[in-house]
């Protein structure tokens, strides 16, 4: 098993997503929450971060995605939406949590 | 699973405390144990009973209090962070010569060792911050 | 002092992740009681504040997108959006809300005061302003 | 020159309030008028009398108080921001049914109009934030 | 006269310096304070921001530069150090202040 | 519970601009009372925390650089610095403070526990850790 990385910053504001990906091991799960969910949007200058990160599984918190008006058809393919119960499950099913703030 | 939760930001300014609350609530509802929620940095400001948020907005402090009442949750404010930011209980008021307290029920003030202990005792530490 | 100043509100933060966007909006609403010339500028993640379709029903937070739509009634004459910030985020003005404006005295109407501008226009607008608020 | 100063962050967490203090002090020492210092967002937390910072660190709240005493400075906390963050004076305590106050001397709580007015009346508005 | 821009963010953490420069008019003064003073360091991946911005005058707050251990010989040529009194003078001698946070 | 856990403190913030670096250090100091294996990792602007020559005499803030030098006495065994973060900032380990370490029982000594590592080593270190603290 690998770690769960939480990223709560917009990829346009801070490099947290970029660094979480860079320092994550193969098989890592990366969960985008709060303003971090902007990293899950397709068609942006930052979409390459997620699209180019093979071997990582990406998740985004649904309530945060919806609050920001990001419709599901604008999400990058393969990003899975979870609710807080799913967040808890991710914490349980991975080795530990790294918060990339 | 036994969880420790760390909250680094105060209410309203950053969403971190909202995320921490919803995560903690979801974990408890799924039957997991939350060993402790430790409030650090501006996070200690979650523990004031003096807030009066607008009526059409969430009451962040009361949400924590109610969750603690329902699940007998241990809500700990770091004493050093609390002193810097003016979060005071009876003991702190007496020690530091303050004429009022502002801590909310169900919160307690204690040392940083409580964070270390929580990290040792728990299966996972989950940090929410800015 | 009866001088009318040009106020510019500089918004560079995404909504919801922090309170700055919302509390900045509260200043604009209160400011309507004063007779000033008010413009808002959205740059960087600030452009996300105007994205249509916000739904906070699952997040227990107040949805303040509808408040932006009323700004024309609160004395806001212009809402400028940095074109480059939009493009970097894969957005166009079609993704943004529209805000109507009407001058009650002259009955002049504008369908939408939200307008994308380039850096040169931005510089000009900032230079013309008397006061810049940042949050 | 007549100045208005806006402070968006609370004490200790961000340096913004330090910068605002040193700037305001320097302006006053140079003989400029500071029409008002307006505390917004977490900035309202600068106005609590309940802080007890470590003895080897600066006392951010007291510094403001002393500056206000020396120069008769108008230190205003935004009421809406103060309510969200638990900053309370006698009037607020009575209106909102709070059993304690925590405001420091020389600070007062008032509306956002005070920020707009300060911006109109002053030659410059200087904002300090995160 | 042009405006005074204050920048308090590290150029490695947020794009505030880049944007302040991009949106500043010719003749603008840009004052680096707090973590913003890292933008005044020579030899970094961000030095091009200041070096490439012709027509702008750059200042950095001396107390913030010193607190961060940046010696004067590591400052980009042309960046002028000021104290808070100098900050006040800059505010007075420019048209208005824009805070790029 | 007598299990010894591996603690990793992840530091990504510059000092002084915010309190995170200092209050993070306070956790490390208190943590010395617990018998854990402690490492610190400095990435992004976090590497600025270890830069030599900090002088806060003009800024009325507490200079906490000397405290880092004592960490070897507080049970910290490793202080890792991301090499790429250093390079982007024009720094080398020569610009950073040195931190000594000595095992009082075995009398093993290390002159400097501050060490630059690459991304692969970083990944390995994070994978080996049991708990990651972020501030």
């Amino acid at each position: 098993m690998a770690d769960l990385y939480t990223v709560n910053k917009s990829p346009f504001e801070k490099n947290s997503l970029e660094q979480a990906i860079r320092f994550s091991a193969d098989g890592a799960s990366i969960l985008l929450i709060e303003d971090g969910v902007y990293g899950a949007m397709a068609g942006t200058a930052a979409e390459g971060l997620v699209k180019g990160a093979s071997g990582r599984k990406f998740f985004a918190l649904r309530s945060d995605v919806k609050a920001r008006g990001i419709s599901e058809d604008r999400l990058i393919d393969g990003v899975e939406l979870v609710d807080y119960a799913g967040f808890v499950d991710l914490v349980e099913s991975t080795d530990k949590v790294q918060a990339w703030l | 699973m036994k969880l420790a939760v760390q909250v680094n930001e105060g209410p309203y300014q950053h969403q971190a405390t909202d995320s921490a609350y919803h995560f903690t609530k979801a974990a408890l509802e799924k039957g997991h144990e939350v060993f402790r929620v430790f409030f650090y940095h501006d996070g200690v400001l979650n523990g004031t009973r003096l807030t009066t948020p607008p009526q059409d907005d969430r009451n962040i402090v009361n949400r924590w209090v109610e969750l603690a009442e329902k699940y007998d949750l241990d809500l700990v404010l770091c004493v050093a962070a609390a002193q810097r930011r003016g979060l005071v209980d009876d003991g702190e008021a007496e020690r530091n010569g303050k004429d009022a307290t502002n801590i909310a029920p169900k919160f307690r003030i204690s040392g940083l060792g409580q964070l270390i202990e929580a990290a040792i005792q728990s299966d996972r530490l989950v940090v929410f911050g800015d | 002092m009866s001088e009318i100043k040009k106020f510019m509100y500089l918004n560079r933060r995404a909504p919801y992740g922090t309170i700055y966007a919302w509390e900045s909006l509260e200043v604009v609403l209160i400011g309507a009681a004063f007779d000033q010339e008010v413009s808002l500028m959205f740059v960087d993640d600030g452009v996300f504040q105007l994205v249509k379709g916000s739904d906070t029903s699952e997040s227990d937070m107040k949805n303040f997108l509808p408040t932006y739509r009323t700004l024309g009634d609160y004395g806001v004459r212009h809402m400028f959006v940095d074109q480059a910030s939009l493009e970097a985020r894969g957005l166009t003005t079609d993704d943004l809300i529209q805000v109507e404006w009407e001058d009650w005295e002259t009955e002049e109407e504008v369908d939408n005061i939200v307008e994308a501008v380039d850096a040169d226009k931005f510089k000009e607008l900032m230079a013309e302003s008397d006061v810049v608020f940042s949050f």
Side-chain angles (χ1 to χ4, degrees), chain A, chain B, chain C:
Chain A
M1 288 308 307
D3 292 354
L4 174 65
Y5 296 70
T6 60
V7 174
N8 73 337
K9 288 293 174 303
S10 159
F12 309 104
E13 193 185 16
K14 198 175 165 182
N15 70 350
S16 301
L17 175 57
E18 181 185 345
Q19 293 289 61
I21 292 170
R22 178 174 158 237
F23 290 122
S24 64
D26 212 50
S29 297
I30 299 179
L31 171 63
L32 308 173
I33 65 172
E34 303 171 16
D35 289 345
V37 299
Y38 290 118
M41 270 180 82
T44 77
E47 71 172 357
L49 292 174
V50 168
K51 282 189 169 172
S54 62
R56 276 76 172 161
K57 183 95 191 79
F58 288 92
F59 303 86
L61 201 62
R62 193 177 60 214
S63 52
D64 285 337
V65 167
K66 290 178 70 171
R68 285 156 185 82
I70 307 171
S71 60
E72 293 204 23
D73 59 6
R74 289 191 95 143
L75 291 176
I76 295 168
D77 282 345
V79 175
E80 188 180 323
L81 292 182
V82 295
D83 58 10
Y84 280 100
F87 185 171
V88 174
D89 292 342
L90 281 170
V91 170
E92 190 178 20
S93 66
T94 50
D95 278 345
K96 65 178 176 291
V97 188
Q98 299 184 28
W100 285 74
L101 305 173
Chain B
M1 173 173 60
K2 199 191 285 189
L3 287 164
V5 175
Q6 181 187 326
V7 184
N8 292 343
E9 298 297 324
Y12 302 104
Q13 188 98 338
H14 292 275
Q15 203 193 336
T17 175
D18 289 275
S19 304
Y21 167 79
H22 289 295
F23 173 81
T24 303
K25 181 164 173 277
L28 291 165
E29 284 170 353
K30 286 180 85 76
H32 295 293
E33 181 188 344
V34 175
F35 181 80
R36 180 170 294 147
V37 182
F38 190 85
F39 296 87
Y40 198 38
H41 306 300
D42 272 2
V44 297
L45 299 164
N46 281 276
T48 173
R49 69 173 187 276
L50 298 186
T51 52
T52 309
Q55 291 191 335
D56 60 351
D57 201 353
R58 65 215 189 276
N59 189 316
I60 292 180
V61 175
N62 286 358
R63 282 194 319 202
W64 284 117
V65 174
E66 285 157 18
L67 201 65
E69 279 167 351
K70 185 165 178 186
Y71 292 98
D72 197 24
L73 200 55
D74 190 20
L75 305 178
V76 178
L77 311 177
C78 167
V79 60
Q83 288 179 342
R84 282 194 185 95
R85 285 138 178 116
L87 230 296
V88 174
D89 63 5
D90 287 334
E92 283 293 303
E94 196 174 319
R95 255 187 305 283
N96 301 308
K98 297 296 175 186
D99 64 345
T101 72
N102 57 350
I103 196 169
K106 306 304 288 183
F107 285 88
R108 64 188 181 94
I109 296 178
S110 189
L112 272 171
Q114 300 271 312
L115 171 61
I116 307 285
E117 188 204 22
I120 294 172
Q121 295 292 334
S122 303
D123 301 311
R124 301 282 190 285
L125 171 71
V126 188
V127 181
F128 295 90
D130 175 32
Chain C
M1 200 161 150
S2 63
E3 180 203 353
I4 291 190
K5 286 194 173 180
K6 290 188 179 182
F7 278 12
M8 177 65 84
Y9 289 81
L10 182 57
N11 295 288
R12 295 178 56 229
R13 314 256 199 175
Y16 304 114
T18 54
I19 203 173
Y20 302 101
W22 169 237
E23 286 192 333
S24 163
L25 197 49
E26 289 190 331
V27 180
V28 178
L29 298 176
I30 295 287
F34 296 78
D35 198 24
Q36 307 300 321
E37 230 181 283
V38 178
S39 298
L40 275 58
M41 174 64 78
F42 298 85
V43 194
D44 296 315
D45 279 357
V47 304
F48 284 134
Q49 293 181 29
L50 302 182
V51 168
K52 282 189 282 202
S54 169
D55 171 7
T56 60
S57 57
E58 285 184 36
S59 59
D60 198 16
M61 287 189 299
K62 187 188 159 92
N63 184 342
F64 54 95
L65 191 64
T67 309
Y68 287 102
R69 293 188 204 269
T70 68
L71 287 181
D73 302 331
Y74 282 89
V76 175
R77 184 58 192 84
H78 294 286
M79 294 169 69
F80 300 107
V81 181
D82 174 44
Q83 180 64 38
S85 298
L86 275 183
E87 284 170 13
R89 288 156 187 80
L91 300 171
T92 69
T93 46
D94 290 344
D95 295 303
L96 308 183
I97 55 164
Q98 300 202 348
V99 179
E100 288 176 23
W101 181 86
E102 183 183 352
D103 187 316
W104 292 339
E105 284 174 23
T106 64
E107 291 190 2
E108 181 193 351
E109 282 181 50
V110 180
D111 285 347
N112 185 16
I113 60 172
V114 177
E115 183 189 341
V117 296
D118 63 16
D120 284 340
K121 176 72 176 169
F122 184 112
K123 282 185 204 183
E124 206 178 285
L125 292 164
M126 295 302 273
E128 285 169 3
S129 304
D130 296 308
V131 182
V132 176
F133 291 90
S134 300
F135 300 95

